[in-house]
Amino acid sequence: MALSTNQSFPGDIKVTPPEEEDVVTKDEMSPCVLGQTKASAPRELTPEERDRLGGERTLVSDFKLMKLEKEAQKNWDLFYKRNTTNFFKDRHWTTREFEELKTCREFESQKLVLLEAGCGVGNCIFPLLQDDLNIFVYACDFSPRAVEFVKQNPLYCPERCCAFQCDLTKDDLRENVAEGSVDVVTLIFVLSAIHPDKMKLALQNISRVLKPGGIVLFRDYGLHDHAMLRFKAGSKLGENFYVRQDGTRSYFFSKEFLDELCVDAGLQSVSNDYVLRETVNKKEGLCVPRVFLQSKFTKPSQSQSS
C-alpha cells in the first residue's frame, strides 16, 4: 500500500487538487463503479457530444505546445508536490484484469521480473509486491519527486524493487535494466501523458529490455471517454490530445492508433479492446461514461522474428 500520510519535501506546501481534476484524472478510482464490458468500438456519442467535439477546431499556439513539452517533467513534479501520495488509490485490480501477472511463469516458484513504466508513487507495484513474493520490480517515472515517494514507502525493499527516474522517450532503460531481462511490462495510464510523436520512442525503449516472448500490459484513456468531453475551449493540443489546467497532458487512444504504434515498435498484438463502464459519483450526483483501452502486446521470439 502506498503511504497515506501527508508526507512532503522541505518547503513544500500542500494544495488541494482543483475540482476540475477530480473526475478527469482519477480514472478508474471514482467512488462507485457499475459493471464494465469489453467492446471492439468506442462508445457512440450523443448528438450534443458530437457537436462539442466537432466544434473544437482551434488548437493552442505552437509556442504553448513547445512550452508544455519543455515543462512536462516540471508539471508532473508539481502534481506530486501538490498531491503527495494521496491522489490515486492502490490498484488492486491489476492481477484480476491481467492474469499474466500470475500465470506467465513456467513453474510456480519462478522469479518474475516486472517493469512498471510510469510508476507514479507506487500504487500498482506495492500491492503486487505484497501479493507475490516471487517478483522483482523495476519501477521508473518521469517525475523525480514520484520516485522519491516510492523509495520512502515502508514497503520499498532494494532486494525486491529498484526505482529510478527516467524519461522513456530519451533515457535508455538499459542503463538501469539489463537488455532482454524483463518478463512483463505494465504501462498503465502512462503513454497518454506523452506527446503522440514520441510514443513510438517510449515503446521501442521498453521493447529493448523485454525478453523475447515477454508481454506489455496496457491500460489507458480511450476515445470518447468522459474526460475527453470535459476539456474547455483552449485545451486542445492536437487530434485526441489535450492539456489539463495544471499543464499535464492527456491523449485518448483509438485501438487502431495503438495497434499501429506497437507494430511499428516491433511488438505483436495479443488483445486490444475498449473497456466501457459507468462511474457513479454519489457525492456529486453524477453518472458518467468511461472508456478505457485495455491491451496486451508481446515481443516476438527470435524464431517468430525470422
Side-chain angles (χ1 to χ4, degrees):
M1 225 175 128
L3 294 171
S4 58
T5 55
N6 293 334
Q7 213 169 345
S8 60
F9 289 79
D12 286 357
I13 300 173
K14 179 71 187 297
V15 179
T16 303
E19 185 179 353
E20 174 69 15
E21 296 299 310
D22 192 26
V23 177
V24 174
T25 22
K26 284 196 176 179
D27 50 73
E28 72 281 14
M29 306 317 304
S30 294
C32 177
V33 177
L34 304 179
Q36 68 176 32
T37 57
K38 288 189 176 181
S40 59
R43 73 179 183 89
E44 206 165 317
L45 296 174
T46 66
E48 293 80 8
E49 291 171 334
R50 200 176 295 113
D51 289 344
R52 193 186 313 167
L53 282 181
E56 292 183 87
R57 301 188 186 280
T58 305
L59 304 181
V60 303
S61 66
D62 290 342
F63 173 79
K64 186 172 181 180
L65 275 172
M66 289 188 292
K67 187 172 187 289
L68 288 168
E69 180 66 23
K70 184 178 179 180
E71 297 180 352
Q73 184 182 82
K74 183 184 80 171
N75 289 331
W76 276 110
D77 232 31
L78 288 172
F79 173 88
Y80 289 111
K81 178 178 180 178
R82 286 192 301 273
N83 301 306
T84 66
T85 60
N86 301 317
F87 196 68
F88 300 109
K89 294 181 182 178
D90 283 349
R91 290 168 173 160
H92 292 281
W93 50 263
T94 49
T95 51
R96 182 183 71 244
E97 294 291 333
F98 296 115
E99 70 276 4
E100 287 81 3
L101 292 169
K102 293 283 188 184
T103 62
C104 69
R105 295 172 168 89
E106 293 181 16
F107 49 92
E108 192 173 345
S109 60
Q110 179 184 346
K111 177 82 74 175
L112 189 72
V113 178
L114 181 141
L115 168 63
E116 167 78 347
C119 63
V121 297
N123 298 109
C124 179
I125 64 170
F126 290 120
L128 290 175
L129 287 168
Q130 282 184 299
D131 292 344
D132 192 337
L133 297 180
N134 290 320
I135 191 170
F136 182 89
V137 177
Y138 291 101
C140 67
D141 199 89
F142 195 23
S143 165
R145 189 178 297 267
V147 173
E148 283 307 308
F149 279 129
V150 170
K151 291 181 176 180
Q152 291 170 10
N153 192 299
L155 293 174
Y156 183 78
C157 172
E159 286 75 32
R160 300 193 61 209
C161 183
C162 172
F164 57 97
Q165 192 275 333
C166 178
D167 178 349
L168 291 171
T169 67
K170 64 180 183 181
D171 298 333
D172 194 333
L173 282 167
R174 292 173 295 184
E175 294 179 4
N176 291 279
V177 185
E179 184 170 354
S181 65
V182 173
D183 298 295
V184 180
V185 175
T186 54
L187 200 59
I188 299 176
F189 295 100
V190 173
L191 204 61
S192 56
I194 296 173
H195 193 289
D197 291 348
K198 295 186 175 182
M199 289 178 184
K200 181 180 173 181
L201 295 174
L203 290 170
Q204 288 173 328
N205 199 3
I206 286 166
S207 180
R208 293 185 194 107
V209 298
L210 193 63
K211 288 179 179 178
I215 195 161
V216 177
L217 306 178
F218 175 94
R219 186 175 173 106
D220 218 320
Y221 299 107
L223 197 63
H224 301 167
D225 180 50
H226 176 72
M228 185 177 180
L229 301 169
R230 285 174 55 91
F231 286 102
K232 297 177 181 177
S235 301
K236 191 169 184 178
L237 304 177
E239 186 177 4
N240 305 329
F241 193 39
Y242 296 83
V243 61
R244 302 186 185 95
Q245 287 183 336
D246 63 1
T248 61
R249 300 167 299 176
S250 186
Y251 185 86
F252 296 83
F253 288 90
S254 70
K255 58 184 293 184
E256 293 82 8
F257 178 77
L258 180 65
D259 190 69
E260 185 178 341
L261 265 181
C262 290
V263 169
D264 286 348
L267 301 170
Q268 291 182 348
S269 176
V270 176
S271 63
N272 189 17
D273 298 294
Y274 294 102
V275 175
L276 311 180
R277 67 198 306 174
E278 285 190 334
T279 301
V280 179
N281 188 321
K282 294 181 179 178
K283 183 179 178 182
E284 300 293 332
L286 297 174
C287 178
V288 297
R290 304 310 309 264
V291 182
F292 305 122
L293 195 60
Q294 186 163 306
S295 313
K296 301 171 188 177
F297 293 86
T298 188
K299 180 177 179 178
S301 62
Q302 291 179 339
S303 59
Q304 289 175 308
S305 299
S306 58

